Amino acid sequence: MKPRRTLLTLACAAAALSLGAALPASAQNYKSEYRMSLVVGTAFPWGKGGEIWANKVREKTGGRINIKLYPGVSLIQGDQTREFSALRQGVIDMAVGSTINWSPQVKALNLFSLPFLMPDYAAIDALTQGQVGQQIFATLDKAGVVPLAWGENGYRELSNSKHVVRTPADLKGLKIRVVGSPLFLDTFTALGANPTQMSWADAQPAFASGAVDGQENPMSIFTAAKLHTVGQKYLTLWGYVADPLVFVVNKDVWNAWTPADREAVRQAAVEAGKEQIAIARKGLIEPGQPLLKDIAGQGVTITQLSPAERDAFIQATRPTYDKWKGQIGTDLVNMAEKAIAARKK
Ligand code: X2X
């Protein structure tokens, strides 16, 4: 490089520096766009929650924080179990993520995937809105992200293309797609099924081709992804686990914002989380559960289990529950069990 050029470059750098120093703190270090990761888009309650959050943030920060949605976990090529690491590393700025997808990195998040821990919505709320939720947020914070609010994917019900499932024996030999943690492999193995782990992106073509027989996902995912069109004709309502969603921000991104903007982003997340949970439960908590009527109307056979039938699934997965209780942390699981027993129904 010629000396003249070097001088010019130096002069430019100095000018840029003094300009930076002259900017108000609120505009320094801000990116022109923040990348929000989501597994599914705005046709799903989950993606809708991300959109609501982004809109509220834009409003509350006067456009200083501008968020773009990346559904399909496209920032990490669809590999949803890498989302948490990517968040920590700053490949992703913020996310509304499922506890299931982050559980390979954060053991405590397997709590929500313990089979038959949470019998009803009040039980989910007792965990996320109470001491357990606070403890999990402290764990997430220690793991390197800033957790702000809870959302909900929902109760994960079982579907398959082969036949009605009413007993664990009916699952024998069925190839079931699962995601995330090895806990899911253990649960479905205990039930006599043949579980196989794959991403949501890979799962849908696998249903269509018949490479796998079944899966488990919330009803809102089932309908928005139109799983009845890829052979998923038999649905069993067993409510064995539910995955909450967590609204989080990367730590460096968070630290670069002014305290007032951080508060605005937190408030937006809390409001969006509440709205998102209401959308996720829509059609499932009203009398007659209209969402289930829609699904039945699409030619899906829906099986409701009697308490005794459900109990057979609980018994079959009890050893898995006990094994994972230790791995998740006996104290945390005990705290969760107590909170659920004391819940207001
Ligand atoms: O992959 C799934 O099953 C989904 C969409 O529910 C999650 O991301 C956990």
Side-chain angles (χ1 to χ4, degrees):
M1 205 184 257
K2 292 197 185 108
R4 252 182 80 92
R5 272 259 185 90
T6 312
L7 265 180
L8 201 68
T9 312
L10 275 175
C12 283
L17 267 179
S18 65
L19 188 71
L23 282 173
S26 63
Q28 269 184 31
N29 306 320
Y30 277 44
K31 301 186 190 184
S32 58
E33 180 186 289
Y34 292 93
R35 293 167 298 181
M36 183 194 292
S37 178
L38 302 156
V39 175
V40 292
T42 52
F44 298 71
W46 181 345
K48 199 92 203 134
E51 182 182 55
I52 295 170
W53 187 22
N55 287 341
K56 283 181 187 286
V57 167
R58 195 170 299 116
E59 233 168 73
K60 288 181 197 286
T61 64
R64 275 188 302 283
I65 297 176
N66 177 40
I67 299 165
K68 183 169 174 197
L69 271 49
Y70 288 85
V73 261
S74 56
L75 296 166
I76 41 170
Q77 293 76 47
D79 188 355
Q80 67 216 62
T81 53
R82 277 179 39 219
E83 190 178 56
F84 192 80
S85 309
L87 254 169
R88 211 164 21 194
Q89 291 157 4
V91 173
I92 293 170
D93 296 318
M94 55 213 297
V96 181
S98 161
T99 49
I100 295 175
N101 294 330
W102 300 351
S103 62
Q105 289 82 33
V106 187
K107 267 263 153 89
L109 293 179
N110 281 290
L111 175 70
F112 302 99
S113 305
L114 276 177
F116 303 101
L117 168 69
M118 302 179 293
D120 49 33
Y121 284 114
I124 305 178
D125 294 342
L127 301 190
T128 58
Q129 308 306 315
Q131 207 186 349
V132 169
Q134 284 168 15
Q135 182 151 330
I136 287 178
F137 271 18
T139 304
L140 285 171
D141 187 79
K142 253 208 210 128
V145 300
V146 183
L148 299 176
W150 292 96
E152 186 165 293
N153 194 16
Y155 273 104
R156 302 179 69 89
E157 313 294 2
L158 181 68
S159 75
N160 82 92
S161 60
K162 297 289 187 201
H163 52 244
V164 168
V165 171
R166 194 176 276 287
T167 67
D170 295 330
L171 268 171
K172 195 166 171 49
L174 282 187
K175 195 161 181 187
I176 306 290
R177 173 269 174 176
V178 294
V179 71
S181 157
L183 167 51
F184 285 83
L185 296 176
D186 284 358
T187 298
F188 281 87
T189 303
L191 289 168
N194 174 15
T196 176
Q197 208 162 28
M198 66 178 70
S199 72
W200 178 237
D202 291 340
Q204 294 169 89
F207 304 142
S209 72
V212 302
D213 303 317
Q215 61 92 45
E216 43 80 65
N217 247 303
M219 292 299 85
S220 66
I221 298 264
F222 189 94
T223 48
K226 300 186 171 56
L227 293 190
H228 70 284
T229 64
V230 285
Q232 298 298 297
K233 293 287 187 194
Y234 302 94
L235 185 59
T236 299
L237 303 178
W238 63 342
Y240 84 125
V241 306
D243 50 331
L245 303 175
V246 191
F247 291 62
V248 300
V249 176
N250 164 278
K251 257 205 181 143
D252 294 334
V253 167
W254 179 258
N255 288 332
W257 290 337
T258 63
D261 280 346
R262 280 181 218 160
E263 195 40 44
V265 173
R266 181 192 302 281
Q267 196 52 43
V270 169
E271 290 172 18
K274 281 206 185 92
E275 289 179 32
Q276 192 278 331
I277 289 173
I279 299 169
R281 294 181 185 181
K282 197 163 182 293
L284 294 169
I285 54 171
E286 300 86 350
Q289 298 183 294
L291 188 61
L292 297 183
K293 288 223 171 80
D294 293 349
I295 294 172
Q298 290 162 338
V300 175
T301 302
I302 300 183
T303 303
Q304 301 262 13
L305 299 179
S306 70
E309 285 169 340
R310 193 166 179 272
D311 198 52
F313 288 92
I314 298 176
Q315 294 316 319
T317 53
R318 199 64 212 185
T320 308
Y321 185 109
D322 293 340
K323 170 185 162 188
W324 276 83
K325 182 171 180 171
Q327 297 203 24
I328 292 163
T330 306
D331 289 348
L332 181 67
V333 179
N334 281 341
M335 191 195 287
E337 288 169 348
K338 274 206 195 97
I340 290 169
R343 77 194 180 282
K344 284 203 197 80
K345 285 190 213 168

